[in-house]
Amino acid sequence: MEIPSRSRISMEIDGIVQGVGFRPFVYRLAARHSLSGWVKNLGSAVLLEVEGEGRAVELFRDAIVAEAPPLAVIGKVVVEQKSLCGGEGFHILESGRGEPGGGVSPDCDVCADCLSELFDPADRRYLYPFINCTNCGPRYSIIDAIPYDRPATTMAAFPMCPACLQEYHDPGNRRFHAQPNACPVCGPSLALFSADGANLPGDPLQETVAALKEGRIVALKGIGGYHLAVDPLNEGAVRRLRERKKRDEKPFAVMFPDLASVRRHAECPEKEGRLLQGVERPIVLLKKLPLQEISELVAPGNRWLGVMLPGTPLHHLLLRLFGGPLVMTSGNLSDEPIAYREEDAFRTLSGIADLFLTHNREIRTRTDDSVLRLFAGEPLFLRRSRGYVPRAVLLPAHQPAVLAVGGELKGTLCLTRDSRAFMSQHIGDLKNAATAASLEETASHLCRLLEIEPEVVAHDLHPDYLSTLYAEKIELPRVAVQHHHAHLASCMAENGLEGEVLGVILDGTGYGTDGTIWGGEFLLGGYRRFERRGHFSPLRMPGGDAAVKEPYRMALSALYSVHGDRLFEVSHPLLCAIPDGDRPIFLKMLQRGINSPLTSSCGRLFDAVSALLGVRGTVSYEGQAAIELEALAERGEADEPYPFLMVNGERHVLDFSPAMAAICGDLAAGREARHIARAFHRTVAAAILETCRAIREESGVERVVLSGGVFQNRLLTEDVFLLLAAARFDTYRHRLVPPNDGGLALGQTVIAGRSFQGE
């Protein structure tokens, strides 16, 4: 095609194109190609027109996508030919409102250029803990509205000094239109306080480092909230943090100064290293090295360590001055969201922290750390939050605007516009007023920030969840979504699937359509409907919710499924530990179902085996028994699964009582627990394969989606994947959102959107 000698085009670009230096990038690109025209923010898109020599315009158009700024995520580009109108120079115009668009940049790590300046004694921002530019720094956590301009951020409280203003208005400068731009003269500053709120003298950073080296606990204000920091090599200090935070055994994350330091303490292959060094700065689970100095109390009884690298200039400074790693765990009380306002931090953390290192840049939106692990060479989210939120997930089709409020555990929200779903940051377990309030705040902020007015609200089928109660207060049509159906739809949506699939959904708890507790499910269906075609054989939960915190109760139930009323005649260490007075009570509970609801939960089955093997009879955090059972199995060897039964009737029901009997027999024969644990994992995988084969024969469906919190278990997921692949199933898993309840809201939005469209 012949290129015109002179041309003018307009381009509308949406995606994450605000707060990432996109307009300055366009300005420099236009200058490179000697083009005239203009660029401006419009809603959350960028609109521009350029005019010049035809070939130059074509090169400019191609470079917009190929050379976009590192933090930009381009969604859609609309190009139109325009009439020539001349003009000189290229201009950045004032932002306009425009149509609601697609993106706000997540918060991100300090870039290499800023890091170089941070440690350059000749630079005017030398050791300044709030250094940033258009390629790095705070975004989502400080934005109040769009278009993304300084008055719409918490940096509005800091007027720029002449030197910063000059950078801000210089198109050739890296800080051209960098909204958080600041320096020691005009920007935010640090302060150090005692636990009772007294402002302490001296250099805040130096005093903090000295306190940490003395073994004291510091509450540190980061980019999205407070962390609690302590020396991980100081066992006494770590023990005090556990005692004060009332966190008996749940692992703490550790921040290391650099990758070399990480590799002295944990196995860190290349892909994990790249994840750690990404601008998102997530926590990544790595295997501990056998000889390393980190206190065992940091992650007791766990072969894995949650590792991260510094994610802000303040972290880089602190770790450099401290000279080693630091525990960096969320600053909150148990079951409460991370503290992010000063008054909340001092109220909730003053009984934990000895000192508070804070600053006067307000955090608009709290964002906890993201957590990932690697599976089959790809990231698997355990928590999707800071650094990734609110990047959109592309949906298979356009749909109405839906607000989904998730479930109870690992709470997140999801908002949709057209074919995009915007997941919120991790909110926490919705078990108290504080997390419920955080849910409402987050919903309000996301709707305002993304300019979405929901047409329908989606929530879990469980009537008593705080998220359900919140949804009921919203004056919009509501769609109640069955928990495991939402898991199925979540995995379908992120993989762009339509039609019918077989969902293998394994988790701990979900309210079933029959009023019982589901959790080991084989669902056949899609977004609009599903059938329960199979499930794990139900077990009693003696004591109801008490059985979640005391897995030995599930072990009793599993043994009862084998031995019935002769339960306490069996020889097993766990049974011997039950006091004589409690035995008749447990037996009646199991015989009559008194305060012992039925559950098909895979998570509870793992709890039972964990307790049977003496791994974990009680837990101090959710999933602990299964996590430690997996860690034990990773050290074991077993090629053959244990026996199980598949009872075929109206549904395919998997009965694991033969496996329980065989496990007890192996224990009595002296087989090592690690080998038994490995064989149990193979048993569950083999049972999944057999059930999928049976349902395929009936339905012809060959696509399988794997979802639910149990698929955080790397060993089980790997076994299932390999077996299904060998049997020629097309298998899909999560990569963009967590398989646990943190991904539930995504599935709710699509189910509710399709349902609302249908009506």
Side-chain angles (χ1 to χ4, degrees):
M1 186 178 72
E2 185 177 345
I3 299 172
S5 60
R6 191 167 180 83
S7 173
R8 185 180 185 93
I9 62 169
S10 71
M11 298 182 73
E12 184 171 347
I13 305 143
D14 75 359
I16 298 177
V17 289
Q18 295 198 16
V20 294
F22 207 89
R23 288 175 299 168
F25 156 69
V26 170
Y27 183 100
R28 291 189 291 270
L29 194 60
R32 185 206 303 173
H33 294 288
S34 303
L35 303 176
S36 63
W38 51 264
V39 63
K40 67 177 180 179
N41 282 340
L42 191 68
S44 58
V46 165
L47 184 65
L48 65 92
E49 289 191 14
V50 291
E51 181 173 331
E53 191 270 325
R55 179 60 179 163
V57 170
E58 189 176 74
L59 291 171
F60 171 92
R61 182 196 62 204
D62 294 343
I64 284 288
V65 175
E67 301 177 25
L71 301 183
V73 179
I74 294 178
K76 183 173 63 175
V77 180
V78 178
V79 182
E80 291 184 7
Q81 286 293 141
K82 294 287 185 179
S83 300
L84 300 177
C85 61
E88 293 183 1
F90 193 87
H91 308 280
I92 294 180
L93 304 182
E94 290 294 319
S95 299
R97 290 301 299 168
E99 291 296 319
V104 172
S105 172
D107 301 304
C108 58
D109 178 38
V110 57
C111 69
D113 290 328
C114 284
L115 199 59
S116 176
E117 293 172 350
L118 182 65
F119 292 107
D120 180 1
D123 194 273
R124 73 187 189 93
R125 292 186 175 86
Y126 177 55
L127 302 184
Y128 182 56
F130 304 96
I131 190 171
N132 68 85
C133 70
T134 54
N135 296 326
C136 68
R139 296 293 191 275
Y140 178 61
S141 63
I142 65 168
I143 297 173
D144 197 46
I146 54 173
Y148 174 60
D149 290 319
R150 194 174 180 104
T153 74
T154 60
M155 287 300 295
F158 302 95
M160 282 183 271
C161 67
C164 286
L165 273 173
Q166 184 178 8
E167 295 169 333
Y168 184 83
H169 290 298
D170 177 5
N173 194 287
R174 198 174 80 253
R175 295 187 170 88
F176 182 46
H177 280 241
Q179 305 306 335
N181 190 30
C183 74
V185 173
C186 62
S189 56
L190 293 176
L192 186 64
F193 295 90
S194 63
D196 59 8
N199 197 335
L200 300 176
D203 178 87
L205 207 51
Q206 296 285 358
E207 295 298 322
T208 296
V209 169
L212 288 166
K213 288 184 175 179
E214 293 169 2
R216 302 174 81 184
I217 300 167
V218 177
L220 170 73
K221 185 178 180 181
I223 203 165
Y226 278 81
H227 283 107
L228 291 165
V230 76
D231 182 356
L233 277 60
N234 185 328
E235 190 151 311
V238 178
R239 181 178 288 108
R240 281 193 297 278
L241 177 58
R242 286 207 172 277
E243 290 169 351
R244 293 181 188 180
K245 201 179 178 192
K246 297 180 173 59
R247 185 164 166 171
D248 296 337
E249 294 168 301
K250 191 175 183 180
F252 292 139
V254 180
M255 182 179 285
F256 289 85
D258 50 43
L259 211 53
S261 177
V262 170
R263 286 175 169 147
R264 289 195 292 271
H265 296 85
E267 295 178 17
C268 184
E270 181 186 354
K271 287 184 177 179
E272 282 85 344
R274 287 209 302 268
L275 263 183
L276 284 168
Q277 292 179 304
V279 296
E280 301 87 357
R281 285 301 198 257
I283 296 170
V284 180
L285 298 190
L286 303 177
K287 277 187 181 177
K288 295 177 185 175
L289 288 175
L291 298 175
Q292 45 90 21
E293 302 167 302
I294 301 293
S295 167
E296 176 61 22
L297 291 178
V298 169
N302 200 315
R303 297 180 69 203
W304 297 81
L305 192 63
V307 169
M308 57 179 157
L309 294 178
T312 69
L314 177 57
H315 290 140
H316 281 279
L317 288 168
L318 185 63
L319 272 290
R320 177 80 64 95
L321 290 170
F322 186 74
L326 286 169
V327 163
M328 204 69 73
T329 189
S330 300
N332 61 347
L333 293 176
S334 295
D335 297 327
E336 290 198 5
I338 185 172
Y340 73 113
R341 296 189 180 107
E342 278 64 37
E343 59 270 26
D344 292 336
F346 279 97
R347 176 182 57 82
T348 59
L349 304 179
S350 59
I352 302 174
D354 300 306
L355 298 172
F356 287 74
L357 179 62
T358 186
H359 57 76
N360 56 348
R361 184 181 70 203
E362 186 181 352
I363 297 170
R364 177 67 71 233
T365 304
R366 73 177 112 216
T367 50
D368 214 334
D369 300 309
S370 295
V371 184
L372 299 97
R373 73 186 305 176
L374 263 286
F375 171 75
E378 293 186 338
L380 174 68
F381 279 101
L382 308 186
R383 182 200 292 169
R384 186 179 185 269
S385 197
R386 181 184 49 76
Y388 299 92
V389 170
R391 288 182 191 166
V393 175
L394 191 64
L395 299 176
H398 284 232
Q399 65 169 59
V402 179
L403 167 64
V405 298
E408 180 179 56
L409 301 180
K410 300 174 176 62
T412 57
L413 297 162
C414 187
L415 274 167
T416 63
R417 176 193 291 118
D418 298 330
S419 60
R420 294 181 184 179
F422 301 90
M423 297 288 293
S424 79
Q425 69 275 22
H426 170 78
I427 295 167
D429 293 347
L430 294 165
K431 293 185 175 182
N432 54 48
T435 46
S438 181
L439 180 82
E440 296 191 33
E441 288 172 14
T442 303
S444 175
H445 181 255
L446 266 182
C447 287
R448 184 176 68 253
L449 186 63
L450 299 172
E451 299 183 300
I452 295 175
E453 294 186 9
E455 301 171 63
V456 61
V457 178
H459 59 86
D460 195 271
L461 191 62
H462 198 297
D464 297 328
Y465 282 174
L466 292 180
S467 55
T468 302
L469 299 179
Y470 166 56
E472 289 173 348
K473 295 192 301 183
I474 301 173
E475 295 182 357
L476 286 172
R478 289 185 290 108
V479 176
V481 180
Q482 199 281 322
H483 190 92
H484 301 94
H485 187 201
H487 274 304
L488 175 146
S490 176
C491 193
M492 285 183 68
E494 75 157 88
N495 284 285
L497 302 179
E498 291 280 6
E500 194 171 56
V501 300
L502 170 55
V504 181
I505 316 298
L506 308 180
D507 64 3
T509 299
Y511 189 74
T513 55
D514 60 359
T516 66
I517 303 167
W518 293 4
E521 308 305 314
F522 297 84
L523 307 182
L524 188 66
Y527 300 120
R528 295 186 183 277
R529 55 171 290 280
F530 76 94
E531 297 176 54
R532 191 187 192 202
R533 297 294 288 268
H535 57 82
F536 287 16
S537 181
L539 291 173
R540 293 281 178 196
M541 293 176 63
D545 287 344
V548 178
K549 296 180 179 178
E550 298 176 338
Y552 78 86
R553 293 172 180 259
M554 291 309 304
L556 290 178
S557 184
L559 290 172
Y560 184 79
S561 72
V562 177
H563 301 289
D565 294 346
R566 298 179 59 249
L567 171 64
F568 288 104
E569 298 174 24
V570 177
S571 175
H572 189 284
L574 184 143
L575 296 172
C576 296
I578 305 295
D580 290 343
D582 290 346
R583 295 183 180 194
I585 298 171
F586 275 117
L587 202 54
K588 284 183 180 178
M589 292 170 78
L590 292 165
Q591 288 169 333
R592 303 176 187 177
I594 301 169
N595 191 26
S596 300
L598 288 169
T599 181
S600 60
S601 167
C602 181
R604 300 291 80 81
L605 183 69
F606 271 76
D607 286 354
V609 175
S610 184
L612 283 174
L613 298 187
V615 176
R616 180 60 59 178
T618 61
V619 298
S620 61
Y621 63 89
E622 192 247 339
Q624 184 180 11
I627 289 168
E628 294 185 10
L629 182 66
E630 178 192 2
L632 179 67
E634 284 181 331
R635 302 198 297 270
E637 296 176 4
D639 293 326
E640 296 300 319
Y642 287 117
F644 59 89
L645 293 174
M646 187 168 74
V647 181
N648 299 313
E650 182 184 355
R651 302 186 190 96
H652 304 286
V653 180
L654 287 170
D655 182 356
F656 290 97
S657 56
M660 298 300 110
I663 286 171
C664 291
D666 275 358
L667 277 172
R671 189 181 187 188
E672 288 185 58
R674 62 192 178 101
H675 300 314
I676 297 174
R678 186 68 189 92
F680 170 70
H681 279 72
R682 292 203 182 280
T683 305
V684 176
I688 289 169
L689 173 63
E690 186 166 331
T691 309
C692 288
R693 276 177 163 159
I695 296 172
R696 178 170 64 180
E697 285 182 14
E698 298 164 353
S699 66
V701 173
E702 295 191 336
R703 294 185 301 171
V704 177
V705 298
L706 307 179
S707 190
V710 171
F711 285 111
Q712 295 173 135
N713 182 315
R714 184 192 61 80
L715 204 59
L716 177 68
T717 308
E718 191 173 84
D719 283 351
V720 171
F721 243 87
L722 290 172
L723 289 175
L724 291 175
R728 300 181 182 277
F729 283 94
D730 296 324
T731 309
Y732 300 86
R733 65 173 186 85
H734 289 278
R735 292 182 305 277
L736 303 179
V737 300
N740 60 39
D741 286 3
L744 206 62
L746 176 63
Q748 291 175 344
T749 59
V750 187
I751 292 169
R754 299 295 174 97
S755 171
F756 192 64
Q757 276 177 323
E759 292 176 4

